[in-house]
Amino acid sequence: MDDIDVEIPKYFICPISLQIMKDPVTAITGITYDRESIEQWLLKGRSTNCPVTQQPLPTFSDLTPNHTLRRLIQAWCSENASLGVDRIPTPKPSIDRFHFLKLIKELQHPDSKMKALKELDLLATKNDRNRKYMVEAEVPKAMLSFIVNCFKEDCVNGLEEALSVLSLIRIPSSEAKLLTKENDLIIKSLIWVLGCEFRTQAMVKSHAFSALKTIIETASPVLLQRLEPKFFEAVVGVLKQGTKRVSQQGINSALHVLLDACPWGRNRLMMVETEAVSALIELELGSPERKTTELILGILFHLCSCADGRAEFLNHKGGMAVVTKRIMRVSPAADDRGVLILSLISKFSASSWVVHEMLDVGAVTKLCMLLQMDCATYLKDKALGILRSHSDDWLKLPCINKTLLTRYIK
């Protein structure tokens, strides 16, 4: 249209896109827009007001198709076809919440459930409007119920589609909190999914971890204290395989799950027993992205608060070295957890070997450097406490920079 020398009637133009309207709809303020433009305006949260009148326009307000204007536009396009104007096709009827309620009912019937799942998956990928209506129709709850039924029947048919839908529309926190009674069974079902085999293995397990993360985030403390060893075996088992079995986003979701379970000592012991410490160190040695490193160090800090966790940490040859290396190289959050890990090791597990290891991997130098940086006072106090507690041992060693160390411990 930009290269065509033809005057377009101004009321054919969308006030937002400034393009000729393909599917004109009228808002409650009386102004007509192209459906795609006004829906994007509302769903992306640019404003809660009508772009033209500036009157309040709720995000979920009704948009009435303007059939008369659409026919006028189509007729005008046909009359000017010889000038290169493309005809605008009649838009398909808009899908609403009731269509998704119908699809949810079809999930109850064996003959129609796969067709309904595939349609839900397809519609969820199309646009924000569909996803909005799916949330209103409680599709996330229906998908979780479907996954639970698959677990009970030990059947994987439809799981890929159900998890794909959940990944696209997410589980609203408000809805997850209402599933308190079902959370235990939902968690068991998602853990079961992690042990199943699929054609699109990495994607399905990533989606399962994403759903599990939302459920764990909203779970009650009572439920989190009742988590079983199988739960941690499944989560840590996937982490051990790294990005070969799950996407980076899936790994981060799995790490969030472990971090949310860390406050309880029983959970920390089960993580240590499943060799989580070693798995986390190996994952960190692969130099992951910043967020992954912060999550890993956060979990390691919790696990190092118990004796068994510290023992496993020190048994790994790369543990002390990789934590030291990340300090001052990733983010303030990583610095915080890294220094706290070294502080726990220094305070509770400082054997002669550990003291020598801290010097060999550069922890002493890194802590001295941290004292020169602009960082939180409490972090400098932690670093200074570590240096002072073992300065006598380090000063006896020939390879130590005595000038650097004594500058701070006096």
Side-chain angles (χ1 to χ4, degrees), residues 254-272:
L255 293 171
H256 270 290
V257 167
L258 292 181
L259 189 59
D260 287 337
C262 274
W264 291 272
R266 176 176 174 272
N267 291 344
R268 293 196 294 271
L269 288 175
M270 285 189 284
M271 288 186 214
V272 172

Side-chain angles (χ1 to χ4, degrees), residues 15-288:
I16 297 174
S17 68
L18 302 181
Q19 301 293 319
I20 191 167
M21 290 183 279
K22 298 177 181 179
D23 185 9
V25 292
T26 303
I28 58 175
T29 56
I31 305 299
T32 298
Y33 303 92
D34 196 30
R35 180 184 292 278
E36 183 179 359
S37 297
I38 188 61
E39 285 182 347
Q40 288 298 315
W41 176 276
L42 295 172
L43 291 170
K44 296 301 181 183
R46 293 178 186 173
S47 173
T48 56
N49 295 332
C50 173
V52 174
T53 67
Q54 292 302 307
Q55 292 177 303
L57 193 60
T59 303
F60 299 137
S61 63
D62 292 329
L63 299 172
T64 305
N66 192 328
H67 298 299
T68 301
L69 180 57
R70 174 179 53 77
R71 293 189 188 101
L72 287 172
I73 293 173
Q74 288 177 324
W76 180 85
C77 289
S78 296
E79 291 171 4
N80 290 276
S82 60
L83 298 176
V85 177
D86 295 328
R87 187 180 183 280
I88 295 176
T90 301
K92 294 180 180 179
S94 177
I95 294 174
D96 58 16
R97 181 170 64 93
F98 298 103
H99 181 74
F100 293 107
L101 291 172
K102 175 175 172 289
L103 289 175
I104 289 174
K105 286 184 179 180
E106 290 178 5
L107 292 174
Q108 312 303 320
H109 304 287
D111 295 336
S112 60
K113 68 176 183 180
M114 285 307 301
K115 182 181 178 182
L117 276 170
K118 289 178 179 178
E119 185 174 350
L120 285 168
D121 192 18
L122 179 64
L123 292 172
T125 62
K126 283 194 171 180
N127 53 53
D128 290 331
R129 172 166 47 88
N130 286 350
R131 292 188 283 274
K132 178 197 77 170
Y133 286 130
M134 291 172 88
V135 171
E136 288 181 0
E138 297 187 338
V139 171
K141 183 178 180 181
M143 294 299 98
L144 289 172
S145 296
F146 180 86
I147 293 168
V148 169
N149 287 333
C150 286
F151 166 61
K152 290 178 178 177
E153 298 170 6
D154 195 22
C155 175
V156 299
N157 291 338
L159 278 176
E160 292 184 53
E161 289 81 5
L163 286 164
S164 176
V165 171
L166 276 180
S167 73
L168 289 165
I169 58 178
R170 305 295 179 186
I171 306 169
S173 297
S174 56
E175 192 165 314
K177 288 177 181 177
L178 296 176
L179 297 171
T180 305
K181 293 181 180 179
E182 296 89 355
N183 272 353
D184 191 33
L185 194 52
I186 292 171
I187 290 171
K188 288 180 179 178
S189 301
L190 291 170
I191 289 299
W192 168 75
V193 171
L194 295 177
C196 297
E197 295 293 327
F198 300 93
R199 178 175 49 85
T200 54
Q201 189 82 340
M203 182 178 69
V204 173
K205 297 199 173 184
S206 296
H207 293 165
F209 271 129
S210 178
L212 188 61
K213 172 178 172 284
T214 303
I215 296 298
I216 291 295
E217 283 175 343
T218 56
S220 68
V222 174
L223 188 148
L224 292 176
Q225 292 178 69
R226 293 203 315 263
L227 294 174
E228 300 174 353
K230 288 182 179 179
F231 175 89
F232 296 105
E233 288 169 6
V235 176
V236 174
V238 176
L239 288 178
K240 287 178 180 178
Q241 297 166 345
T243 52
K244 295 177 182 178
R245 303 284 283 184
V246 67
S247 69
Q248 185 62 53
Q249 184 180 358
I251 285 175
N252 284 353
S253 294
L255 293 171
H256 270 290
V257 167
L258 292 181
L259 189 59
D260 287 337
C262 274
W264 291 272
R266 176 176 174 272
N267 291 344
R268 293 196 294 271
L269 288 175
M270 285 189 284
M271 288 186 214
V272 172
E273 289 170 1
T274 57
E275 300 179 345
V277 174
S278 176
L280 292 168
I281 293 172
E282 289 294 329
L283 199 57
E284 186 56 38
L285 286 170
S287 300

